[in-house]
Amino acid sequence: MNHKPVLLVIAHGSRDPRHAATVHALVRRVRVLRPDVRVETGFLDFNVPSVRGVLESLAVQGVRDVVALPLLLTRAFHAKADIPAILADAPPQLRIHQAEVLGPSPLLLAALERRLYEAGLTPADKSSTGVVLASAGSTDPEAIAVIAEIAREWRHTGWCAVRPAFASAGSPAGFPSTEDAVRELRALGCSRVAVAPYVLAPGRLPDRIARGAAEADVLADVLGPALEVARVVLERYEAARAPMLTAVSA
């Protein structure tokens, strides 16, 4: 019998059908990598099944242990408030551990870089190419700091320059839009400018990033069901279930 905790991937949800399709493609990849782990998907909004619905179904089926993994790149409002509130209201027979969000991770940087190469760049282009790290945006100071730090870290891997940009209109002052960051890198003297969307799935804000990349030379795809993303999901799952194993053996 499989006693491993069920992995519940919690996605944001969107009216855009491409969002759910991308989430399901990523979850399929996770299942291929770990066929010994039961993986379920729940959405916070817009799509079904809902997170509450999945948790109730698991409880009815007699599941005891669940690792709830926020399919998010930064620790902002959803990871700090929404998801914990939903999990606290879950059926009491479930033992739930909330995993950490996906980012930051060296694997995600590798996925960003691979997406840029898939869009036409080569490793030889790095020193002459400026990159816009285009995230959805946030009002959370911790999330903002993480995006800025990722940009600084990525710059040290050989790119001409890396600038963070936020797509959300609600993002704080001081962070440029995608189009402003593209122009800044042009003015800095980078021979070419590439936009790397630091987002998991297509939707309204990724579309805004794409529009802002109109003056760039290269626009990479979203991270989507990249192998590196699937591996991060499983890393977070293993880290979250480790305390559960300790509790069982104690």
Side-chain angles (χ1 to χ4, degrees):
M1 182 177 294
N2 188 350
H3 293 293
K4 292 184 176 66
V6 171
L7 169 55
L8 172 56
V9 174
I10 301 177
H12 186 280
S14 171
R15 292 186 178 91
D16 190 321
R18 296 174 298 169
H19 174 90
T22 302
V23 170
H24 291 310
L26 174 61
V27 168
R28 285 195 296 271
R29 185 154 227 173
V30 172
R31 288 179 178 138
V32 169
L33 290 175
R34 287 293 301 273
D36 58 316
V37 175
R38 178 178 174 181
V39 188
E40 300 292 341
T41 309
F43 294 91
L44 292 173
D45 207 352
F46 302 116
N47 302 107
V48 292
S50 68
V51 177
R52 284 190 174 89
V54 175
L55 291 171
E56 290 169 2
S57 176
L58 291 174
V60 168
Q61 295 169 39
V63 170
R64 184 76 183 275
D65 295 316
V66 177
V67 168
L69 187 145
L71 200 63
L72 302 168
L73 294 173
T74 57
R75 262 179 52 81
F77 181 77
H78 290 305
K80 294 178 179 179
D82 279 357
I83 292 174
I86 293 171
L87 299 181
D89 195 38
Q93 61 266 47
L94 294 176
R95 295 186 300 198
I96 304 174
H97 280 236
Q98 181 176 333
E100 292 296 329
V101 297
L102 301 184
S105 166
L107 283 170
L108 294 179
L109 274 183
L112 284 167
E113 204 147 299
R114 186 160 64 82
R115 288 292 189 237
L116 286 170
Y117 295 150
E118 290 169 352
L121 292 179
T122 70
D125 297 323
K126 290 185 74 167
S127 62
S128 59
T129 301
V131 178
V132 177
L133 179 68
S135 69
S138 175
T139 57
D140 187 284
E142 180 183 350
I144 295 165
V146 166
I147 296 298
E149 179 57 31
I150 290 170
R152 284 192 292 268
E153 180 182 339
W154 205 12
R155 163 68 182 86
H156 294 312
T157 65
W159 297 100
C160 172
V162 180
R163 292 289 185 272
F166 282 172
S168 172
S171 298
F175 282 83
S177 64
T178 303
E179 50 265 47
D180 288 341
V182 169
R183 291 168 187 151
E184 181 184 344
L185 290 171
R186 291 273 189 226
L188 196 63
C190 298
S191 298
R192 68 180 61 77
V193 176
V195 174
Y198 189 58
V199 293
L200 287 168
R204 179 176 56 87
L205 291 178
D207 284 349
R208 184 178 294 172
I209 290 172
R211 290 193 297 272
E215 297 179 18
D217 301 293
V218 173
L219 171 62
D221 199 358
V222 299
L223 293 172
L227 177 60
E228 295 91 341
V229 178
R231 286 176 173 162
V232 177
V233 168
L234 289 170
E235 282 186 357
R236 299 294 184 258
Y237 168 78
E238 289 297 338
R241 85 182 186 102
M244 304 171 85
L245 293 174
T246 302
V248 169
S249 60

